[in-house]
Amino acid sequence: DADVTQTPRNRITKTGKRIMLECSQTKGHDRMYWYRQDPGLGLRLIYYSFDVKDINKGEISDGYSVSRQAQAKFSLSLESAIPNQTALYFCATSDSRTGLNTEAFFGQGTRLTVV
Amino acid sequence: GENVGLHLPTLSVQEGDNSIINCAYSNSASDYFIWYKQESGKGPQFIIDIRSNMDKRQGQRVTVLLNKTVKHLSLQIAATQPGDSAVYFCAENRSGGSNYKLTFGKGTLLTVNP
């Protein structure tokens, strides 16, 4: 399912480098999210956006920033990558038109390694 | 630094048996719950959801039970198949109104033995 596409799928970067993870969706959803997944810790919310003008911090936003360039695009940046940001990152979308309670649809993930 | 090797809860079943995966949630104000399945190398995929005004919902081979009294959610998979092997996450919507965002549990690894 390529409705939510993340690029790159894998990335190795050096400590201190700036890196951007991209997410685009063709589902027409207004809400987009970035999650981080670490072994044994499940998925934790980094940032979320309910529309183009709306950006909100999640539970672990320190060291990250986001940009909602258009309804279909939501990018995550690590301003100065550090090794403990090595993780699997997921973008997700949901549709407010289906009601307040609705499932999120996930991309395939980006595996980021900071060395 | 590196993550400490925290281990997922695991459940191992024989093909054809029924599986029950449990989840405890902490926020009594949560009003919507979802079960996701995550196969290796893939993103989480929606399985089934339930709203807090229900205590049971059935899908194809899956049933979700919600016990609000003890804040417990379970996923039952009937006639488990090798393709059901994956990590299963429960997720809750912790706040009402427009502030919708899902909070995920740590996951349970289900292994189906042929």
Side-chain angles (χ1 to χ4, degrees), chain A residues 65-112:
Chain A
S65 63
V66 291
S67 174
R68 185 83 183 266
Q69 303 93 321
Q71 188 185 47
K73 295 185 183 295
F74 192 36
S75 60
L76 174 73
S77 294
L78 286 66
E79 299 303 325
S80 178
I82 56 177
N84 75 3
Q85 290 178 311
T86 293
L88 192 54
Y89 291 84
F90 286 102
C91 173
T93 73
S94 67
D95 187 355
S96 67
R97 293 169 299 177
T98 58
L100 290 173
N101 290 327
T102 183
E103 73 267 30
F105 296 83
F106 285 81
Q108 295 285 66
T110 295
R111 184 168 296 281
L112 176 66

Side-chain angles (χ1 to χ4, degrees), chain A residues 9 31 33 35 37-43 45 48 50 83-84 88 90 94 100-104 106-108, chain B residues 1 3-4 6 8 31-32 34 36 38 41-44 46 49 51 89 93 97-102 104-106:
Chain A
R9 293 293 313 277
R31 297 177 171 181
Y33 311 81
Y35 285 89
Q37 185 174 35
D38 297 278
L41 294 178
L43 287 145
L45 184 62
Y48 61 104
F50 285 170
N84 75 3
L88 192 54
F90 286 102
S94 67
L100 290 173
N101 290 327
T102 183
E103 73 267 30
F106 285 81
Q108 295 285 66
Chain B
N3 286 315
V4 178
L6 298 173
L8 287 175
D31 55 5
Y32 177 60
I34 306 176
Y36 281 91
Q38 186 178 21
K42 297 185 179 181
F46 171 88
D49 59 2
R51 304 189 194 289
F89 293 96
N93 176 18
S98 62
N99 191 21
Y100 170 84
K101 57 184 185 294
L102 290 174
F104 285 79
K106 292 180 172 48

Side-chain angles (χ1 to χ4, degrees), chain A residues 2-41:
Chain A
D3 291 335
V4 183
T5 303
Q6 293 182 230
T7 55
R9 293 293 313 277
N10 289 281
R11 180 74 182 266
I12 300 174
T13 192
K14 292 183 178 180
T15 298
K17 292 291 187 183
R18 183 178 190 274
I19 183 170
M20 180 181 290
L21 309 184
E22 308 269 11
C23 177
S24 63
Q25 52 117 343
T26 59
K27 299 186 79 66
H29 290 173
D30 52 343
R31 297 177 171 181
M32 297 187 74
Y33 311 81
W34 274 104
Y35 285 89
R36 168 178 172 160
Q37 185 174 35
D38 297 278
L41 294 178

